[in-house]
Amino acid sequence: MDSRIDPTRYIDMKPGSTFIIRNPGNFIPHSADIPRAQVSTALAGLEFTTGMESIKDIIVCGHSDCKAIQMLQSVKRSDTTAEIDMEGPFASWLVSRGGRTWDKYLTEQEGEGSVSVHSNLTNERLMTKLDPGGQLPTHDVISQINVLQQMHNVASWDFMKGALSRGIRLHGMWFDVNVQMSYIFDWRSLKFVELKSKKGAAAFAQM
């Protein structure tokens, strides 16, 4: 939703060549978290697009300085100074949709010093250190964790499992708004690498 982010620009796509779904925090519910009767518009959009023969790639995009992620921190830490109504719909959205991301951050990043990422096809649990040098602010680390969690959430749905088995590729990307740089999650190194680097180009060609 952030107006600073133009997805077609930072992934070099022409207008009209992509279907874009946006919401605060780029959250997609895990299949275990909601009953079928409460599916979201984001899920409906995903299933609709994966049924199209022209769709080859699905990209979960996060970005730096994400206000939704910062507000998720505030809500989860019960920060009374935060400019958010703790009883309002936005806070409820963050709690219900961002819970898995926050739990991953607390139990893995803060607790173990590394975070897990699940293979799209095998669901194998792999561990990685996203910011070993400690260069990113906490909310940006959580934003990258959120990309990995939302990829896992997307892949948890039966229609998406079928799409992946047919060869549709699921990617995780992260955009640094300060330096206008795009990163993609590389399954070989288990790191976010620059999209326009050799590693980035190879990562985009991977599942």
Side-chain angles (χ1 to χ4, degrees), residues 85-118:
D85 179 0
M86 296 296 185
E87 303 299 325
F90 184 35
S92 297
W93 165 265
L94 294 172
V95 170
S96 64
R97 295 293 184 257
R100 283 178 179 260
T101 293
W102 183 252
D103 291 344
K104 181 185 287 289
Y105 167 69
L106 284 184
T107 60
E108 297 179 6
Q109 180 70 23
E110 284 200 343
E112 302 172 23
S114 58
V115 296
S116 62
V117 56
H118 292 78

Side-chain angles (χ1 to χ4, degrees), residues 5-18 20 22:
I5 312 299
D6 180 0
T8 59
R9 178 182 176 187
Y10 70 75
I11 58 176
D12 293 330
M13 296 290 186
K14 295 180 180 179
S17 65
T18 57
I20 300 174
R22 306 177 79 154

Side-chain angles (χ1 to χ4, degrees), residues 28-35 43 100 152-153 155-158 161:
I28 295 289
H30 191 281
S31 61
D33 290 346
I34 62 172
L43 283 170
R100 283 178 179 260
H152 182 54
N153 291 356
S156 72
W157 292 88
D158 288 341
K161 293 175 183 176

